[in-house]
Amino acid sequence: LKANINTLDNRVALLRKLKELVAVMPLAAPMDYFSVSSHFGKRRDPINRRWAMHYGLDLVGAKGFKIYVTAPGKVVKAGYKGKFGKFIEVEHGQGFRTRYGHLHKILVKRGQKLEYRDKIGLLGNSGRSTGPHLHYEVVYNGKPKNPWRFIKAGRYVYKN
């Protein structure tokens, strides 16, 4: 009986940790309507045509489309960042961060706390960009991860 109670306690603790993790994971798309123009991974740079690693997902839409944060968190950067142009970085906890680049307008400030799906910016063409799109990145413990995998996983996590 004691072994069964310990096993149950361990499973309840694991379930609690998993729920805490899912609560901060960026499991949604940052836009309501988009098409993907460039996936995560090695690709030819659209400007200089050289092979390079692309650490995000490029989501195309009309200039001014609303951009939403994909998980609750805190804004750690909101401003101009070189080739990314108008840029936002959000820390979600548990090692997760998301980055949003090439914005037309930034609607948040550094230090601001965000709830899931708060509007944070408008789609644009700032920085080193070939047209209106959102460069979206997911970073876990300092390492870039494929954002499309998180968006796909979220479709199952939030399924009715």
Side-chain angles (χ1 to χ4, degrees):
L1 183 67
K2 190 171 186 177
N4 287 343
I5 290 172
N6 283 340
T7 301
L8 183 61
D9 280 347
N10 290 340
R11 288 188 178 167
V12 167
L14 178 61
L15 182 60
R16 189 175 299 117
K17 284 180 184 173
L18 287 172
K19 282 184 172 184
E20 288 170 8
L21 186 61
V22 168
V24 299
M25 287 178 78
L27 296 172
M31 295 166 58
D32 288 335
Y33 307 102
F34 60 87
S35 60
V36 178
S37 65
S38 187
H39 280 276
F40 180 92
K42 209 165 181 185
R43 67 162 188 185
R44 282 202 184 269
D45 184 285
I47 295 173
N48 67 25
R49 305 305 303 153
R50 291 192 190 118
W51 284 99
M53 185 62 187
H54 184 240
Y55 292 109
L57 196 60
D58 288 346
L59 307 176
V60 177
K63 184 178 174 186
F65 268 21
K66 294 173 186 155
I67 306 299
Y68 302 98
V69 71
T70 54
K74 182 179 174 185
V75 178
V76 291
K77 171 119 177 93
Y80 206 86
K81 185 177 180 184
K83 65 183 180 179
F84 295 109
K86 291 179 182 173
F87 175 88
I88 299 168
E89 184 169 357
V90 179
E91 184 176 4
H92 303 286
Q94 306 267 0
F96 285 99
R97 287 181 177 228
T98 51
R99 297 173 175 162
Y100 310 79
H102 305 304
L103 300 170
H104 170 66
K105 189 169 188 178
I106 295 170
L107 302 175
V108 294
K109 302 224 178 306
R110 190 170 162 267
Q112 186 174 336
K113 291 202 189 280
L114 301 170
E115 298 299 322
Y116 169 69
R117 296 276 296 160
D118 278 351
K119 186 167 63 167
I120 60 170
L122 302 177
L123 186 83
N125 190 25
S126 62
R128 188 174 177 270
S129 171
T130 56
H133 73 283
L134 174 70
H135 175 84
Y136 175 63
E137 291 182 15
V138 173
V139 177
Y140 177 66
N141 287 337
K143 293 190 176 110
K145 299 295 176 185
N146 187 343
W148 189 245
R149 290 186 176 170
F150 288 86
I151 292 169
K152 273 180 27 184
R155 292 177 180 169
Y156 294 102
V157 170
Y158 297 118
K159 200 174 188 178
N160 289 340

